[in-house]
């Protein structure tokens, strides 16, 4: 992937053809926009990584809570069964 520095450093051969001023102006604008997008993309990748880590932790917590709920239900059923047998 091109970096903003790659775009900024790009040069074109002089001679007949495109206007050097037009190309330079276009590249200056392109560089500014590309640099903004590049930075935003890097920030979003970092943010996505952090969110995925958080999601993983929450999934682990959810699994623990599900296990605790099953254990509580099993214990409640056992206590209820024991209580009924005692009467």
């Amino acid at each position: 992937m091109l970096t903003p520095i790659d775009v900024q450093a790009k040069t074109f051969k002089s001679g007949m053809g495109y206007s050097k001023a037009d190309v330079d102006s276009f590249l200056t604008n392109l560089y500014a926009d590309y640099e903004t997008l590049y930075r935003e993309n890097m920030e979003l990748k970092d943010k996505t990584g952090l969110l995925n880590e958080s999601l993983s932790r929450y999934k682990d917590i959810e699994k623990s809570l599900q296990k605790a709920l099953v254990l509580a239900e099993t214990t409640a059923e056992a206590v209820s069964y024991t209580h009924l047998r005692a009467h």
Side-chain angles (χ1 to χ4, degrees):
M1 175 177 217
L2 289 174
T3 66
I5 300 300
D6 294 333
V7 174
Q8 187 179 34
K10 178 67 179 166
T11 57
F12 296 92
K13 294 179 183 175
S14 298
M16 298 185 68
Y18 298 108
S19 161
K20 183 167 175 29
D22 287 345
V23 172
D24 287 346
S25 175
F26 176 78
L27 286 176
T28 298
N29 292 333
L30 176 65
Y31 169 76
D33 291 345
Y34 186 73
E35 182 178 32
T36 300
L37 290 172
Y38 191 85
R39 267 198 221 127
E40 287 174 358
N41 188 37
M42 296 305 288
E43 289 171 8
L44 289 171
K45 284 181 180 182
D46 289 344
K47 210 178 269 190
T48 300
L50 292 173
L51 290 172
N52 283 331
E53 288 174 15
S54 294
L55 180 60
S56 180
R57 280 194 304 269
Y58 286 121
K59 284 182 178 184
D60 290 342
I61 291 169
E62 180 184 24
K63 286 178 188 175
S64 295
L65 289 172
Q66 286 174 345
K67 287 177 184 177
L69 181 58
V70 168
L71 180 60
E73 289 172 346
T74 303
T75 304
E77 288 172 4
V79 168
S80 177
Y81 177 74
T82 304
H83 180 71
L84 288 174
R85 290 188 68 202
H87 289 290

